[in-house]
Amino acid sequence: MKAPTPGMLAIGLLGVTVFTLMMVGPPGSYTPPPEPHSTGPAPSSISVNGFTLASDTVDLPIDEQQYPDGPHADVINANCTSCHSASMAMTQPVLSADQWKATVTKMKDVYKAPVAEKDIPAIIDYLTAMSVAQDGAPTGKVQNPAPDASGGTG
Ligand code: HEC
């Protein structure tokens, strides 16, 4: 076995010394982190060098997170707000119960929405009622005219 040369010993010793100093730090170098002071509620505006940053709230009428109150609102809010907000359904045109059923089925089958089978009728009820109410009178604009309704009298 070859004995280490003095040069290698010196490098090793230097390494150990540097490492130790890094771990310990120079004397008196430790300063405790500043105490977080409680300032109460965050200020609503901050001024720096003549610029004022003010926080404000805005109302976004369409992007409702939750479905508005109504029969079965609790069911739909429990099932249908985890991926997208209620506005996704609230901004749809007036749809029939069958069309809503197709949408809910698509959510379940295509997007893997965890919707319990027993909740589906209540969700469709809610959506159908909401859809009609949103449009005003149910006899308003006709989204899906029945084929025999036009009569061809031009
Ligand atoms: C697992 C996630 C998920 C859940 C839960 C979910 N959705 Fe969706 N939904 C989606 C995705 C993804 C889209 C498509 C978004 C897009 O096209 O940008 C979508 C789109 C929609 C649309 C737009 C029309 C359409 O057919 O694409 C409606 C309406 C809708 N969802 C209603 C519902 C209702 C009602 C429920 C509760 C039964 C529900 N969603 C639950 C993921 C979900």
Side-chain angles (χ1 to χ4, degrees), residues 39-51:
T39 52
S44 62
S45 75
I46 307 172
S47 292
V48 179
N49 294 339
F51 289 95

Side-chain angles (χ1 to χ4, degrees), residues 39-124:
T39 52
S44 62
S45 75
I46 307 172
S47 292
V48 179
N49 294 339
F51 289 95
T52 302
L53 298 176
S55 65
D56 209 343
T57 54
V58 288
D59 287 332
L60 301 173
I62 296 196
D63 193 34
E64 291 124 351
Q65 206 50 49
Q66 299 279 306
Y67 289 85
D69 245 355
H72 311 306
D74 51 337
V75 181
I76 193 164
N77 276 321
N79 282 286
C80 303
T81 52
S82 52
C83 298
H84 52 72
S85 64
S87 59
M88 188 71 95
M90 304 301 289
T91 51
Q92 296 299 304
V94 180
L95 300 180
S96 68
D98 277 355
Q99 289 167 314
W100 279 120
K101 185 170 189 211
T103 299
V104 173
T105 307
K106 181 170 92 175
M107 293 303 126
K108 193 165 152 54
D109 292 352
V110 179
Y111 301 131
K112 308 291 174 218
V115 181
E117 205 68 50
K118 69 172 172 54
D119 287 344
I120 291 180
I123 293 169
I124 292 167

